[in-house]
Amino acid sequence: MKTKYLIAGTALASLAFLSGCAASVNATKSIEVADSNKAIAEETKADTAQIEAANAKLDSAKALQASGEEEQAAALAEESVLDYKLAVANAELKAAKTEDEKVEKELRGDVERKLIYQSILDQETKNGGAK
């Protein structure tokens, strides 16, 4: 749920940035931010398909910047930033689910052990009281 809010907030911020700063677009900065997010996504071992899609947008942004189309380059770079952030968020969600499953399994084992110990204690209490 937090991931959805993070993504929505980032998308709104990017939209505001792109619409508010359209006259003074800095594609270089957007591409640098995208490259940083790319490194983070690769470091977190995010889904390769998502990373490849973001890489394609980033490469297109670099090509557009080289041909002088700064505004379109900045827009594509910002899209790639969002794609990288989404890939990282999905990787973190997957890791959290895995950890949650592990903890739940350990908890079930603890509950089973508690029941076994309670059963032994009850038997000892009955046997001790009968003497």
Side-chain angles (χ1 to χ4, degrees), residues 10-128:
T10 306
L12 288 174
S14 295
L15 180 62
F17 171 78
L18 291 175
S19 64
C21 302
S24 61
V25 173
N26 188 353
T28 303
K29 180 173 172 117
S30 297
I31 289 172
E32 288 173 1
V33 170
D35 280 328
S36 297
N37 279 283
K38 176 182 178 179
I40 293 168
E42 290 172 345
E43 199 173 289
T44 59
K45 295 182 174 46
D47 182 46
T48 54
Q50 288 180 313
I51 291 176
E52 287 175 8
N55 286 345
K57 288 180 184 177
L58 181 57
D59 292 340
S60 296
K62 289 177 181 178
L64 285 169
Q65 183 188 29
S67 67
E69 298 181 41
E70 293 286 318
E71 193 171 316
Q72 291 177 338
L76 265 178
E78 289 296 323
E79 281 185 42
S80 69
V81 167
L82 293 176
D83 288 345
Y84 289 127
K85 287 183 178 184
L86 179 61
V88 169
N90 285 334
E92 289 175 351
L93 176 64
K94 184 179 176 182
K97 283 183 178 180
T98 302
E99 181 66 21
D100 186 48
E101 289 171 0
K102 177 184 169 189
V103 170
E104 282 183 13
K105 184 178 178 182
E106 290 175 2
L107 180 61
R108 280 192 297 273
D110 289 345
V111 168
E112 289 173 9
R113 280 191 294 282
K114 179 188 172 223
L115 292 172
I116 291 169
Y117 293 143
Q118 187 64 47
S119 172
I120 292 169
L121 179 62
D122 291 345
Q123 286 177 354
E124 291 294 320
T125 303
K126 286 180 185 177
N127 291 341

